[in-house]
Amino acid sequence: MTARDDGSHVVLVGRKLIYEWFGLRLIRDDLELQDGRRFEYTYVEHPGSVVVIPRLASGEHVLVEQYRYPIRQRSLELPAGSLDGAETPEDAARRELFEETSLQAGELRPLGGIAPSNGFCSEHMLVFVADGLTGVPQPHTTTTERERHTIVTMSEEEMLRHVRSGHITDGATLAALLLWRLAREER
């Protein structure tokens, strides 16, 4: 197996699947530099994901607050999740919005993409703005504690206060809010 990356300075000479779990794959690539030196790079191969910025007719935004075990605390976030199988990013955005908030989007507009952890993960996350929402924001609880969350609505100013105070620290949420703010400034 030999493949060159788009930087044309590293050649893939071997690959090993180390572990696979819920669509994530831990991969170790054996790489060779132009000067012949070899090294290993271990990373997570990710199917891709979406994050949704839901805006109510009132102008408020819908977020979810849930416990995140890896950081051992609750996290205030925009609805988000991984692509499931062969679904499109738009389908995933609609599904995640409904699963996490019980809302459906009349209009779903893509804003762009982010690479939330590109030093160790191949994940590419697409950001969508959801308008024309129907339904009533309600908590959705699955059978595992991992998915239990609270629905929170707040204005843009309240969100920014939570960012400044350190209450919103989720990287995908912060990046999505920045893309949304920049898109609004460009209009």
Side-chain angles (χ1 to χ4, degrees), residues 129-152:
V129 175
D131 286 311
L133 300 175
T134 57
V136 177
Q138 295 182 20
H140 176 80
T141 304
T142 61
T143 55
T144 66
E145 280 299 310
R146 192 176 148 200
E147 294 295 324
R148 187 177 303 244
H149 59 266
T150 304
I151 303 298
V152 178

PDB file of all heavy atoms in Angstrom, residues 129-152:
ATOM      1  N   VAL A 129     -27.815  26.177  10.096  1.00  0.00           N
ATOM      2  CA  VAL A 129     -28.749  27.039  10.816  1.00  0.00           C
ATOM      3  C   VAL A 129     -30.140  26.510  10.511  1.00  0.00           C
ATOM      4  O   VAL A 129     -30.477  26.259   9.348  1.00  0.00           O
ATOM      5  CB  VAL A 129     -28.645  28.515  10.364  1.00  0.00           C
ATOM      6  CG1 VAL A 129     -29.712  29.357  11.033  1.00  0.00           C
ATOM      7  CG2 VAL A 129     -27.262  29.057  10.667  1.00  0.00           C
ATOM      8  N   ALA A 130     -30.945  26.321  11.548  1.00  0.00           N
ATOM      9  CA  ALA A 130     -32.311  25.808  11.390  1.00  0.00           C
ATOM     10  C   ALA A 130     -33.301  26.915  11.726  1.00  0.00           C
ATOM     11  O   ALA A 130     -33.309  27.435  12.839  1.00  0.00           O
ATOM     12  CB  ALA A 130     -32.532  24.609  12.302  1.00  0.00           C
ATOM     13  N   ASP A 131     -34.125  27.284  10.743  1.00  0.00           N
ATOM     14  CA  ASP A 131     -35.182  28.284  10.925  1.00  0.00           C
ATOM     15  C   ASP A 131     -36.524  27.655  10.599  1.00  0.00           C
ATOM     16  O   ASP A 131     -36.589  26.539  10.094  1.00  0.00           O
ATOM     17  CB  ASP A 131     -34.940  29.488  10.000  1.00  0.00           C
ATOM     18  CG  ASP A 131     -33.806  30.376  10.482  1.00  0.00           C
ATOM     19  OD1 ASP A 131     -33.802  30.729  11.669  1.00  0.00           O
ATOM     20  OD2 ASP A 131     -32.931  30.712   9.658  1.00  0.00           O
ATOM     21  N   GLY A 132     -37.599  28.406  10.863  1.00  0.00           N
ATOM     22  CA  GLY A 132     -38.939  27.907  10.579  1.00  0.00           C
ATOM     23  C   GLY A 132     -39.249  26.670  11.403  1.00  0.00           C
ATOM     24  O   GLY A 132     -39.820  25.705  10.905  1.00  0.00           O
ATOM     25  N   LEU A 133     -38.841  26.702  12.662  1.00  0.00           N
ATOM     26  CA  LEU A 133     -38.992  25.530  13.526  1.00  0.00           C
ATOM     27  C   LEU A 133     -40.449  25.284  13.886  1.00  0.00           C
ATOM     28  O   LEU A 133     -41.203  26.221  14.150  1.00  0.00           O
ATOM     29  CB  LEU A 133     -38.171  25.706  14.802  1.00  0.00           C
ATOM     30  CG  LEU A 133     -36.663  25.889  14.595  1.00  0.00           C
ATOM     31  CD1 LEU A 133     -35.981  26.166  15.915  1.00  0.00           C
ATOM     32  CD2 LEU A 133     -36.055  24.690  13.914  1.00  0.00           C
ATOM     33  N   THR A 134     -40.816  24.017  13.895  1.00  0.00           N
ATOM     34  CA  THR A 134     -42.147  23.627  14.344  1.00  0.00           C
ATOM     35  C   THR A 134     -41.991  22.612  15.464  1.00  0.00           C
ATOM     36  O   THR A 134     -40.996  21.888  15.536  1.00  0.00           O
ATOM     37  CB  THR A 134     -42.990  23.019  13.203  1.00  0.00           C
ATOM     38  OG1 THR A 134     -42.290  21.905  12.653  1.00  0.00           O
ATOM     39  CG2 THR A 134     -43.263  24.050  12.117  1.00  0.00           C
ATOM     40  N   GLY A 135     -42.989  22.578  16.321  1.00  0.00           N
ATOM     41  CA  GLY A 135     -42.946  21.701  17.476  1.00  0.00           C
ATOM     42  C   GLY A 135     -42.630  22.513  18.715  1.00  0.00           C
ATOM     43  O   GLY A 135     -42.424  23.725  18.654  1.00  0.00           O
ATOM     44  N   VAL A 136     -42.614  21.854  19.832  1.00  0.00           N
ATOM     45  CA  VAL A 136     -42.306  22.502  21.108  1.00  0.00           C
ATOM     46  C   VAL A 136     -41.016  21.898  21.619  1.00  0.00           C
ATOM     47  O   VAL A 136     -40.900  20.670  21.711  1.00  0.00           O
ATOM     48  CB  VAL A 136     -43.451  22.262  22.123  1.00  0.00           C
ATOM     49  CG1 VAL A 136     -43.113  22.876  23.465  1.00  0.00           C
ATOM     50  CG2 VAL A 136     -44.754  22.831  21.580  1.00  0.00           C
ATOM     51  N   PRO A 137     -40.014  22.745  21.944  1.00  0.00           N
ATOM     52  CA  PRO A 137     -38.752  22.175  22.439  1.00  0.00           C
ATOM     53  C   PRO A 137     -39.010  21.368  23.709  1.00  0.00           C
ATOM     54  O   PRO A 137     -39.549  21.885  24.672  1.00  0.00           O
ATOM     55  CB  PRO A 137     -37.884  23.393  22.743  1.00  0.00           C
ATOM     56  CG  PRO A 137     -38.585  24.578  22.215  1.00  0.00           C
ATOM     57  CD  PRO A 137     -40.003  24.191  21.936  1.00  0.00           C
ATOM     58  N   GLN A 138     -38.673  20.096  23.665  1.00  0.00           N
ATOM     59  CA  GLN A 138     -38.890  19.218  24.810  1.00  0.00           C
ATOM     60  C   GLN A 138     -37.681  18.326  25.006  1.00  0.00           C
ATOM     61  O   GLN A 138     -37.061  17.893  24.037  1.00  0.00           O
ATOM     62  CB  GLN A 138     -40.112  18.341  24.587  1.00  0.00           C
ATOM     63  CG  GLN A 138     -41.394  19.116  24.522  1.00  0.00           C
ATOM     64  CD  GLN A 138     -42.582  18.176  24.336  1.00  0.00           C
ATOM     65  OE1 GLN A 138     -42.505  16.993  24.603  1.00  0.00           O
ATOM     66  NE2 GLN A 138     -43.679  18.736  23.872  1.00  0.00           N
ATOM     67  N   PRO A 139     -37.385  18.006  26.264  1.00  0.00           N
ATOM     68  CA  PRO A 139     -36.294  17.069  26.518  1.00  0.00           C
ATOM     69  C   PRO A 139     -36.611  15.710  25.902  1.00  0.00           C
ATOM     70  O   PRO A 139     -37.763  15.295  25.858  1.00  0.00           O
ATOM     71  CB  PRO A 139     -36.248  16.961  28.043  1.00  0.00           C
ATOM     72  CG  PRO A 139     -37.013  18.121  28.546  1.00  0.00           C
ATOM     73  CD  PRO A 139     -37.989  18.514  27.479  1.00  0.00           C
ATOM     74  N   HIS A 140     -35.606  15.068  25.401  1.00  0.00           N
ATOM     75  CA  HIS A 140     -35.758  13.732  24.841  1.00  0.00           C
ATOM     76  C   HIS A 140     -34.783  12.843  25.599  1.00  0.00           C
ATOM     77  O   HIS A 140     -33.586  13.105  25.603  1.00  0.00           O
ATOM     78  CB  HIS A 140     -35.427  13.744  23.352  1.00  0.00           C
ATOM     79  CG  HIS A 140     -35.473  12.384  22.736  1.00  0.00           C
ATOM     80  ND1 HIS A 140     -36.652  11.798  22.369  1.00  0.00           N
ATOM     81  CD2 HIS A 140     -34.505  11.494  22.471  1.00  0.00           C
ATOM     82  CE1 HIS A 140     -36.404  10.601  21.869  1.00  0.00           C
ATOM     83  NE2 HIS A 140     -35.095  10.405  21.917  1.00  0.00           N
ATOM     84  N   THR A 141     -35.290  11.836  26.253  1.00  0.00           N
ATOM     85  CA  THR A 141     -34.444  10.952  27.030  1.00  0.00           C
ATOM     86  C   THR A 141     -34.464   9.565  26.418  1.00  0.00           C
ATOM     87  O   THR A 141     -35.526   8.995  26.201  1.00  0.00           O
ATOM     88  CB  THR A 141     -34.939  10.871  28.489  1.00  0.00           C
ATOM     89  OG1 THR A 141     -34.991  12.187  29.019  1.00  0.00           O
ATOM     90  CG2 THR A 141     -34.012  10.021  29.330  1.00  0.00           C
ATOM     91  N   THR A 142     -33.287   9.029  26.130  1.00  0.00           N
ATOM     92  CA  THR A 142     -33.211   7.658  25.634  1.00  0.00           C
ATOM     93  C   THR A 142     -33.010   6.737  26.828  1.00  0.00           C
ATOM     94  O   THR A 142     -33.028   7.164  27.970  1.00  0.00           O
ATOM     95  CB  THR A 142     -32.041   7.500  24.639  1.00  0.00           C
ATOM     96  OG1 THR A 142     -30.836   7.798  25.316  1.00  0.00           O
ATOM     97  CG2 THR A 142     -32.208   8.406  23.445  1.00  0.00           C
ATOM     98  N   THR A 143     -32.762   5.481  26.574  1.00  0.00           N
ATOM     99  CA  THR A 143     -32.652   4.516  27.662  1.00  0.00           C
ATOM    100  C   THR A 143     -31.324   4.601  28.408  1.00  0.00           C
ATOM    101  O   THR A 143     -31.155   3.953  29.420  1.00  0.00           O
ATOM    102  CB  THR A 143     -32.817   3.077  27.129  1.00  0.00           C
ATOM    103  OG1 THR A 143     -31.855   2.870  26.093  1.00  0.00           O
ATOM    104  CG2 THR A 143     -34.216   2.872  26.589  1.00  0.00           C
ATOM    105  N   THR A 144     -30.375   5.390  27.912  1.00  0.00           N
ATOM    106  CA  THR A 144     -29.096   5.488  28.607  1.00  0.00           C
ATOM    107  C   THR A 144     -28.921   6.873  29.212  1.00  0.00           C
ATOM    108  O   THR A 144     -29.402   7.866  28.683  1.00  0.00           O
ATOM    109  CB  THR A 144     -27.914   5.229  27.649  1.00  0.00           C
ATOM    110  OG1 THR A 144     -27.864   6.288  26.699  1.00  0.00           O
ATOM    111  CG2 THR A 144     -28.056   3.903  26.932  1.00  0.00           C
ATOM    112  N   GLU A 145     -28.210   6.944  30.303  1.00  0.00           N
ATOM    113  CA  GLU A 145     -27.916   8.233  30.939  1.00  0.00           C
ATOM    114  C   GLU A 145     -27.092   9.111  30.012  1.00  0.00           C
ATOM    115  O   GLU A 145     -27.111  10.318  30.112  1.00  0.00           O
ATOM    116  CB  GLU A 145     -27.141   8.020  32.250  1.00  0.00           C
ATOM    117  CG  GLU A 145     -28.012   7.644  33.408  1.00  0.00           C
ATOM    118  CD  GLU A 145     -29.048   8.712  33.736  1.00  0.00           C
ATOM    119  OE1 GLU A 145     -28.688   9.897  33.877  1.00  0.00           O
ATOM    120  OE2 GLU A 145     -30.217   8.358  33.842  1.00  0.00           O
ATOM    121  N   ARG A 146     -26.350   8.492  29.111  1.00  0.00           N
ATOM    122  CA  ARG A 146     -25.470   9.230  28.213  1.00  0.00           C
ATOM    123  C   ARG A 146     -26.224  10.260  27.383  1.00  0.00           C
ATOM    124  O   ARG A 146     -25.674  11.274  26.992  1.00  0.00           O
ATOM    125  CB  ARG A 146     -24.811   8.204  27.302  1.00  0.00           C
ATOM    126  CG  ARG A 146     -23.690   8.743  26.527  1.00  0.00           C
ATOM    127  CD  ARG A 146     -23.058   7.651  25.755  1.00  0.00           C
ATOM    128  NE  ARG A 146     -22.575   8.307  24.563  1.00  0.00           N
ATOM    129  CZ  ARG A 146     -22.281   7.730  23.464  1.00  0.00           C
ATOM    130  NH1 ARG A 146     -22.400   6.455  23.358  1.00  0.00           N
ATOM    131  NH2 ARG A 146     -21.865   8.414  22.454  1.00  0.00           N
ATOM    132  N   GLU A 147     -27.479  10.022  27.096  1.00  0.00           N
ATOM    133  CA  GLU A 147     -28.236  10.911  26.225  1.00  0.00           C
ATOM    134  C   GLU A 147     -29.245  11.796  26.963  1.00  0.00           C
ATOM    135  O   GLU A 147     -29.973  12.524  26.337  1.00  0.00           O
ATOM    136  CB  GLU A 147     -28.969  10.085  25.164  1.00  0.00           C
ATOM    137  CG  GLU A 147     -28.041   9.388  24.204  1.00  0.00           C
ATOM    138  CD  GLU A 147     -27.247  10.344  23.342  1.00  0.00           C
ATOM    139  OE1 GLU A 147     -27.777  11.407  22.954  1.00  0.00           O
ATOM    140  OE2 GLU A 147     -26.082  10.039  23.061  1.00  0.00           O
ATOM    141  N   ARG A 148     -29.321  11.734  28.271  1.00  0.00           N
ATOM    142  CA  ARG A 148     -30.295  12.538  29.003  1.00  0.00           C
ATOM    143  C   ARG A 148     -29.840  14.006  29.004  1.00  0.00           C
ATOM    144  O   ARG A 148     -28.695  14.287  29.317  1.00  0.00           O
ATOM    145  CB  ARG A 148     -30.411  12.036  30.434  1.00  0.00           C
ATOM    146  CG  ARG A 148     -31.516  12.687  31.212  1.00  0.00           C
ATOM    147  CD  ARG A 148     -31.612  12.079  32.580  1.00  0.00           C
ATOM    148  NE  ARG A 148     -31.819  10.644  32.451  1.00  0.00           N
ATOM    149  CZ  ARG A 148     -32.901  10.009  32.846  1.00  0.00           C
ATOM    150  NH1 ARG A 148     -33.852  10.661  33.427  1.00  0.00           N
ATOM    151  NH2 ARG A 148     -33.023   8.709  32.680  1.00  0.00           N
ATOM    152  N   HIS A 149     -30.727  14.895  28.653  1.00  0.00           N
ATOM    153  CA  HIS A 149     -30.350  16.297  28.621  1.00  0.00           C
ATOM    154  C   HIS A 149     -31.537  17.211  28.897  1.00  0.00           C
ATOM    155  O   HIS A 149     -32.677  16.781  28.871  1.00  0.00           O
ATOM    156  CB  HIS A 149     -29.684  16.652  27.290  1.00  0.00           C
ATOM    157  CG  HIS A 149     -30.567  16.397  26.105  1.00  0.00           C
ATOM    158  ND1 HIS A 149     -30.531  15.238  25.395  1.00  0.00           N
ATOM    159  CD2 HIS A 149     -31.518  17.160  25.523  1.00  0.00           C
ATOM    160  CE1 HIS A 149     -31.412  15.291  24.412  1.00  0.00           C
ATOM    161  NE2 HIS A 149     -32.034  16.446  24.466  1.00  0.00           N
ATOM    162  N   THR A 150     -31.213  18.468  29.126  1.00  0.00           N
ATOM    163  CA  THR A 150     -32.212  19.500  29.385  1.00  0.00           C
ATOM    164  C   THR A 150     -32.190  20.482  28.233  1.00  0.00           C
ATOM    165  O   THR A 150     -31.123  20.873  27.754  1.00  0.00           O
ATOM    166  CB  THR A 150     -31.871  20.245  30.698  1.00  0.00           C
ATOM    167  OG1 THR A 150     -31.771  19.292  31.752  1.00  0.00           O
ATOM    168  CG2 THR A 150     -32.905  21.283  31.033  1.00  0.00           C
ATOM    169  N   ILE A 151     -33.376  20.916  27.802  1.00  0.00           N
ATOM    170  CA  ILE A 151     -33.481  21.912  26.737  1.00  0.00           C
ATOM    171  C   ILE A 151     -33.397  23.297  27.356  1.00  0.00           C
ATOM    172  O   ILE A 151     -34.042  23.587  28.356  1.00  0.00           O
ATOM    173  CB  ILE A 151     -34.831  21.780  25.995  1.00  0.00           C
ATOM    174  CG1 ILE A 151     -34.998  20.369  25.421  1.00  0.00           C
ATOM    175  CG2 ILE A 151     -34.972  22.846  24.913  1.00  0.00           C
ATOM    176  CD1 ILE A 151     -33.981  19.980  24.411  1.00  0.00           C
ATOM    177  N   VAL A 152     -32.604  24.163  26.744  1.00  0.00           N
ATOM    178  CA  VAL A 152     -32.419  25.528  27.225  1.00  0.00           C
ATOM    179  C   VAL A 152     -32.639  26.476  26.044  1.00  0.00           C
ATOM    180  O   VAL A 152     -32.122  26.226  24.951  1.00  0.00           O
ATOM    181  CB  VAL A 152     -30.993  25.730  27.792  1.00  0.00           C
ATOM    182  CG1 VAL A 152     -30.779  27.139  28.255  1.00  0.00           C
ATOM    183  CG2 VAL A 152     -30.704  24.727  28.904  1.00  0.00           C
TER     184      VAL A 152
END
